[in-house]
Amino acid sequence: MPASTDTPALDLRGIVRTYGPVRALDHAALSVRRGEVHGLIGQNGAGKSTLMKILAGIEQADQGEILLDGQPIRAESPAAMIQRGLGVIFQDRMLVGNFTVEEALFYATPAIRRHGPLLRRAKLRQEAERVIRRYFDTSLPPKALIRDLSTAEQQIVHITRTLLTGPSVIVLDEPTVALASREVENLFRAIREMRADGITVVYISHYLREITEICDRVTVLRNGRHVATVQADQTTTTRLTSLMTGAEIGSLFPPHNSADTLSGDRPIRFAAQGLGHRAAFADVSFDLREGEILGVTGLIGSGFKELARVIFGLDRATSGTMALAGRGYSPRSPREALAARVALVPEDRRSAGVGLALSLRENVTLASLRRFSPRGLMRRGAERQSARAFIERLAIKAPHEEIHVSGLSGGNQQKVAIAKWLCRGAGLYLLDEPSIGIDVAGKAEIYRLLRSLAAEGNAVIVFSSDLDEIQGLADRVLVFHRGRIALDASTADTSSGQLLAAAIAGSPHQAPDKGQSERQAANG
Amino acid sequence: MTDISFARPPRQSRIPLTRAALPLAVALAFAFFAVFADGFAQWNNLRALLVNNFALLAIVALAMTLAVHSGGIDLSVATAIDLASLAFVAALAAGYGVAPAIIAGLAAAGAAGIVNAFLIAVLGITPFLATLGTLFIGHSVQQLTTGGGNPLFVPFQQVPPALPFLARGDLLGLPVPVLAVLVLAALIAVLLSKSRFGRQSLTLGLQPLLALYSGIATGRVLALVYILVALIAGITGIFLSANVSAYMPFSGNVFLMNAIGATFIGTTMSASRAPNVTGTLVGVLFLAIISNGLLLIGWDFYWQKLGAGIAIILCLLISSGKARHPQ
């Protein structure tokens, strides 16, 4: 039915969704014009994910209306929403690794139904090829296994799957989290092509620069409510940040340590000498002093992530040595690493960092169980006291210490993951992508926390792909390039551009050639 | 820290229908048979129900609860039961007293547990496959030691008076097996919900990676779980033999599926769907009432499993409300 051109393609009104005592969405609204790219931003806990789930038909709103092309609809199931032309692409809903590209594209996709009960492979293959060519200007081998594809290629499969259903509205959730900058460009090109084809795109991201670059308009959510919808070309990231937080926030990064803490007087807490692990990295040598934050970065596949695994005892070094406070250190398990007071806050927060179905109290004491159970039985009173102390000290936003951690926002979950180690006490803290999926205000808090950890005389290593984060937070940086240290410098002497150059080309002085070398390094 | 006040954690004041489904099913089944099955509600029958249908299965199901709580399963409880029974009877037949025979029985069950612990904790085989292997091996061990699976009897004149007492006697006003269930249940409840070991097992069951990254000695916890499971299941083997003064080969098998069933329907009583002692006991009670009641009504023995199956599915259907998790 012909709707007038100014009827929004997608219109959400007064959406309310509560989880027990928590009101995730409180009369939220979102109005998206036909054929625009519409940004949706907000801090973690602002209600973006809940809104997405409602749009995807995974969850139902308690109150409110959803209008597609002016027609009120009921979002009763994911299948129904896809049939209505609304495709939601979740960042963390991964494809099955053992499927081939073809299987991933055609199975469990309603596109199948449009051709009757049996799969018409040839026709589907043709169609998929056309879509991938049209939007991504590439092609994927139909028989390749999903797990053998790069992250970017997997994402292409993911998006193509949805495009094959012929959607009028596509929702993208944090699509660039795992992408290198060139891949981001490719994605943006695809999004512009979609817009040119009249597909409406809702784009959710924490990266405000991306939002202002790709979006036509931006809606800001805060505490489950609609705060503002602005023209992307008439706003700034600073303005958006203040809309998200409801206040002007100061500098994202805390001031670095004063120069004397970085001088040679501070004792060395951790040292690596000629460290290597299989093909991942080799010849890695560095010292880390007390009170220092070391940033370690590189492209995906450059080996810097594997270094974290070796230091935490998840993998064993195949060459070289490590020393903690001057004593030899070669952990065979995280348990041994912890016994030597080395703690890791993992990137995969939801499976390895916090216990989602455990209470905040149980999470905080999880690594110090023995202390809270001198005779084998847990002392709940002492646990509670400790948990409350950390809620206060780290300003964790939680109504009480018995809440399940699944009910907290990403930033607060991360604080709980850190509180677990503070409760146990460590001397060397490793953090793998500490701010991934965390909003701006949450990031600033995590950074301040890490800085105060260092100021207390601990040593901190931050492993991160976010170069601004490394440059802003760390005192010193190691940039990995193809398994070797390409740059070891004080961040006072570097810029994030130089870090990027070193990561891509292996030298800070070479201009980053964003083509070939990056691609090769990412695959190497 | 005096000026901060925390909201009180909400007590579970309202019990949602999903968690009440199983107790309701028990009440309904009880009421149904009390009306339609002659003699069901009489004390003699209820006592028989508790001793014959409830107690022995409950012990195995409590053991299974430990395994499922840690994120695994133990298919070899049947082996532990049979080996305990075999060693117990063999010791009695050889003229040993009841106490040494019990120790022999538990040791034999424990051996199955140690095999499991080795396969799972040391070799890293998944519990399902490891215990399936032990189950098969246990089957062969019984055949090899009993000439292809012959029963072994305690000679009539050698049956010590303690045997019928163990199986049917009263202590503190309760049948001994029922008392054993209560004591075990209390111990396991404390172990799971109050002890350090329980917290470690829970973490392992929910998120094995988190347990590893948090420095929990996962191998040690798993080894302890599977040895405990076998020892507890072995107790059922001893009661079983005490009742008939004999070892009947492969009699542990009947408990396996029921114990798994009771444990999983018991999880419906927990808000987080975790295996728990109360749920398991109520689940066992449910199965016990069904099998006892259907027998009294005069349903053909062959129909009993059908009745139990339908009842389990109905109960799970009622309780399968979507768990709500934000994010």
Side-chain angles (χ1 to χ4, degrees):
Chain A
M1 89 191 43
S4 83
T5 43
D6 41 343
T7 312
L10 176 66
D11 200 6
L12 303 180
R13 297 177 185 168
I15 305 286
V16 175
R17 178 72 167 98
T18 54
Y19 298 99
V22 182
R23 189 164 261 211
L25 290 175
D26 186 6
H27 299 92
L30 173 67
S31 179
V32 184
R33 288 181 195 147
R34 186 165 305 111
E36 75 170 340
V37 179
H38 195 108
L40 180 62
I41 61 174
Q43 302 194 51
N44 273 9
K48 294 179 315 248
S49 4
T50 312
L51 201 64
M52 295 257 313
K53 284 181 190 162
I54 288 172
L55 275 179
I58 294 170
E59 302 229 348
Q60 273 72 50
D62 301 332
Q63 287 176 40
E65 281 189 295
I66 303 176
L67 290 89
L68 251 180
D69 282 330
Q71 299 296 313
I73 56 162
R74 269 169 24 94
E76 67 268 34
S77 73
M81 295 311 275
I82 292 168
Q83 218 142 39
R84 295 196 172 102
L86 212 153
V88 181
I89 299 168
F90 289 97
Q91 153 229 332
D92 55 350
R93 297 297 186 284
M94 276 294 104
L95 299 158
V96 181
N98 285 334
F99 272 16
T100 63
V101 167
E102 201 170 76
E103 286 165 341
L105 282 176
F106 305 150
Y107 291 172
T109 304
I112 298 164
R113 287 191 210 123
R114 301 189 304 170
H115 301 289
L118 294 176
L119 282 175
R120 285 201 203 152
R121 268 178 195 271
K123 194 168 176 182
L124 282 168
R125 195 178 299 164
Q126 228 176 14
E127 173 73 1
E129 233 165 80
R130 192 190 64 75
V131 167
I132 295 176
R133 175 68 59 198
R134 166 84 184 84
Y135 293 102
F136 300 97
D137 192 26
T138 180
S139 63
L140 294 175
K143 298 291 179 201
L145 287 181
I146 293 295
R147 62 155 180 266
D148 295 334
L149 300 184
S150 73
T151 317
E153 287 167 336
Q154 289 188 11
Q155 189 177 50
I156 291 176
V157 175
H158 214 8
I159 295 176
T160 304
R161 232 163 79 103
T162 302
L163 285 170
L164 284 173
T165 67
S168 60
V169 180
I170 279 194
V171 184
L172 292 163
D173 176 29
E174 294 282 356
T176 59
V177 163
L179 299 185
S181 55
R182 196 177 82 107
E183 296 161 348
V184 172
E185 280 311 313
N186 288 339
L187 178 71
F188 282 5
R189 222 178 46 80
I191 291 175
R192 293 195 182 99
E193 295 296 339
M194 291 178 207
R195 180 172 55 189
D197 287 355
I199 298 174
T200 307
V201 178
V202 178
Y203 187 93
I204 301 175
S205 179
H206 277 126
Y207 301 106
L208 299 181
R209 260 190 262 163
E210 291 179 2
I211 290 279
T212 49
E213 183 184 341
I214 187 74
C215 296
D216 302 309
R217 295 193 305 152
V218 187
T219 290
V220 184
L221 289 183
R222 187 167 72 228
N223 296 329
R225 293 175 200 210
H226 174 267
V227 177
T229 299
V230 296
Q231 289 288 336
D233 54 7
Q234 287 164 24
T235 189
T236 61
T237 54
T238 326
R239 170 88 187 119
L240 290 177
T241 306
S242 62
L243 281 173
M244 280 162 64
T245 55
E248 306 285 338
I249 62 161
S251 165
L252 185 55
F253 298 103
H256 284 208
N257 281 352
S258 51
D260 64 294
T261 59
L262 299 178
S263 70
D265 313 343
R266 303 291 291 258
I268 290 173
R269 174 62 54 83
F270 176 83
Q273 192 61 49
L275 205 60
H277 178 67
R278 300 227 170 84
F281 61 86
D283 265 342
V284 169
S285 302
F286 64 95
D287 291 341
L288 177 61
R289 294 180 186 277
E290 288 179 4
E292 195 176 17
I293 298 183
L294 175 68
V296 180
T297 188
L299 298 179
I300 291 167
S302 64
F304 78 101
K305 296 279 184 180
E306 284 78 0
L307 177 61
R309 294 182 59 87
V310 166
I311 301 179
F312 192 54
L314 287 159
D315 294 327
R316 295 213 72 183
T318 46
S319 61
T321 57
M322 293 184 279
L324 262 178
R327 302 169 72 173
Y329 167 72
S330 60
R332 282 168 300 183
S333 66
R335 208 172 143 66
E336 290 188 6
L338 286 165
R341 294 170 49 82
V342 174
L344 170 74
V345 177
E347 172 178 8
D348 192 355
R349 191 180 308 142
R350 294 165 66 87
S351 70
V354 294
L356 294 172
L358 295 177
S359 69
L360 196 157
R361 164 179 59 84
E362 290 164 327
N363 268 283
V364 166
T365 60
L366 190 58
S368 338
L369 291 179
R370 195 163 287 275
R371 197 170 90 228
F372 290 95
S373 56
R375 289 195 188 84
L377 293 184
M378 298 302 299
R379 296 201 164 155
R380 207 164 279 204
E383 280 191 277
R384 192 165 293 157
Q385 220 169 26
S386 183
R388 287 183 180 183
F390 280 109
I391 289 179
E392 190 191 16
R393 179 171 154 201
L394 306 187
I396 299 172
K397 269 186 213 131
H400 49 76
E401 71 280 2
E402 297 302 328
I403 191 170
H404 279 189
V405 164
S406 60
L408 302 181
S409 71
N412 283 304
Q413 288 183 358
Q414 189 70 312
K415 286 184 187 172
V416 172
I418 295 174
K420 179 177 76 177
W421 297 132
L422 295 180
C423 182
R424 182 184 170 111
L428 171 61
Y429 291 87
L430 314 171
L431 297 103
D432 192 357
E433 305 290 353
S435 69
I436 197 163
I438 295 176
D439 58 73
V440 182
K443 277 184 188 179
E445 283 189 75
I446 300 285
Y447 296 153
R448 271 202 301 277
L449 181 58
L450 297 183
R451 181 48 75 187
S452 71
L453 265 181
E456 286 159 20
N458 299 294
V460 177
I461 308 183
V462 175
F463 299 83
S464 174
S465 314
D466 181 343
L467 299 172
D468 291 334
E469 173 170 293
I470 294 287
Q471 176 65 31
L473 175 64
D475 301 308
R476 248 180 68 212
V477 60
L478 301 179
V479 182
F480 274 56
H481 175 70
R482 299 192 181 197
R484 312 252 162 177
I485 295 179
L487 176 68
D488 176 351
S490 162
T491 49
D493 308 327
T494 58
S495 67
S496 47
Q498 283 172 319
L499 302 188
L500 180 66
I504 292 172
S507 150
H509 307 300
Q510 221 163 305
D513 160 26
K514 284 183 118 191
Q516 297 262 306
S517 56
E518 176 185 348
R519 193 72 195 150
Q520 282 164 8
N523 292 337
Chain B
M1 49 157 56
T2 47
D3 54 337
I4 42 162
S5 72
F6 283 85
R8 281 185 69 82
R11 288 288 133 217
Q12 304 283 347
S13 51
R14 291 171 301 135
I15 297 173
L17 178 67
T18 56
R19 289 176 63 197
L22 181 58
L24 275 178
V26 169
L28 278 177
F30 190 93
F32 176 83
F33 290 120
V35 173
F36 293 103
D38 275 344
F40 175 81
Q42 282 168 13
W43 172 237
N44 276 342
N45 179 59
L46 292 180
R47 183 190 160 98
L49 184 154
L50 283 179
V51 174
N52 299 332
N53 302 96
F54 174 78
L56 298 195
L57 175 59
I59 294 172
V60 186
L62 285 171
M64 188 64 73
T65 303
L66 278 177
V68 178
H69 187 264
S70 73
I73 195 160
D74 190 344
L75 302 179
S76 68
V77 285
T79 298
I81 294 169
D82 289 333
L83 291 186
S85 165
L86 177 58
F88 178 69
V89 171
L92 288 175
Y96 289 99
V98 173
I102 288 178
I103 292 171
L106 291 181
I114 288 171
V115 171
N116 286 335
F118 177 76
L119 295 175
I120 296 166
V122 180
L123 299 187
I125 301 174
T126 57
F128 185 93
L129 292 178
T131 57
L132 187 64
T134 308
L135 180 67
F136 286 149
I137 293 169
H139 199 91
S140 270
V141 168
Q142 290 177 69
Q143 286 179 320
L144 291 170
T145 50
T146 60
N150 292 310
L152 184 64
F153 295 93
V154 183
F156 183 67
Q157 60 280 13
Q158 259 172 266
V159 173
L163 278 204
F165 173 75
L166 265 186
R168 296 178 290 277
D170 275 357
L171 194 63
L172 308 171
L174 284 170
V176 174
V178 176
L179 191 66
V181 170
L182 294 182
V183 171
L184 272 174
L187 288 176
I188 295 173
V190 169
L191 191 68
L192 289 188
S193 62
K194 304 253 185 259
S195 79
R196 176 169 68 226
F197 169 76
R199 190 73 60 80
Q200 292 169 328
S201 155
L202 178 67
T203 308
L204 205 52
L206 292 170
Q207 287 170 237
L209 260 189
L210 175 68
L212 175 73
Y213 278 60
S214 299
I216 289 171
T218 51
R220 204 180 303 165
V221 173
L222 283 174
L224 195 53
V225 164
Y226 285 92
I227 291 170
L228 269 180
V229 169
L231 287 176
I232 294 167
I235 296 173
T236 284
I238 288 165
F239 276 123
L240 211 52
S241 293
N243 196 24
V244 294
S245 307
Y247 152 77
M248 297 293 174
F250 319 127
S251 48
N253 288 346
V254 296
F255 294 100
L256 174 59
M257 286 303 156
N258 284 332
I260 294 174
T263 303
F264 279 96
I265 58 177
T267 61
T268 61
M269 284 183 68
S270 144
S272 53
R273 297 280 187 269
N276 63 97
V277 166
T278 315
T280 297
L281 290 184
V282 178
V284 173
L285 191 60
F286 179 63
L287 295 180
I289 289 174
I290 299 271
S291 60
N292 176 286
L294 288 179
L295 197 69
L296 285 184
I297 278 186
W299 267 30
D300 194 313
F301 182 76
Y302 300 126
W303 286 89
Q304 279 194 32
K305 290 271 187 225
L306 181 74
I310 291 171
I312 287 176
I313 291 167
L314 279 181
C315 179
L316 288 175
L317 267 184
I318 298 171
S319 71
S320 66
K322 247 194 212 165
R324 288 181 162 193
H325 282 295
Q327 273 227 324

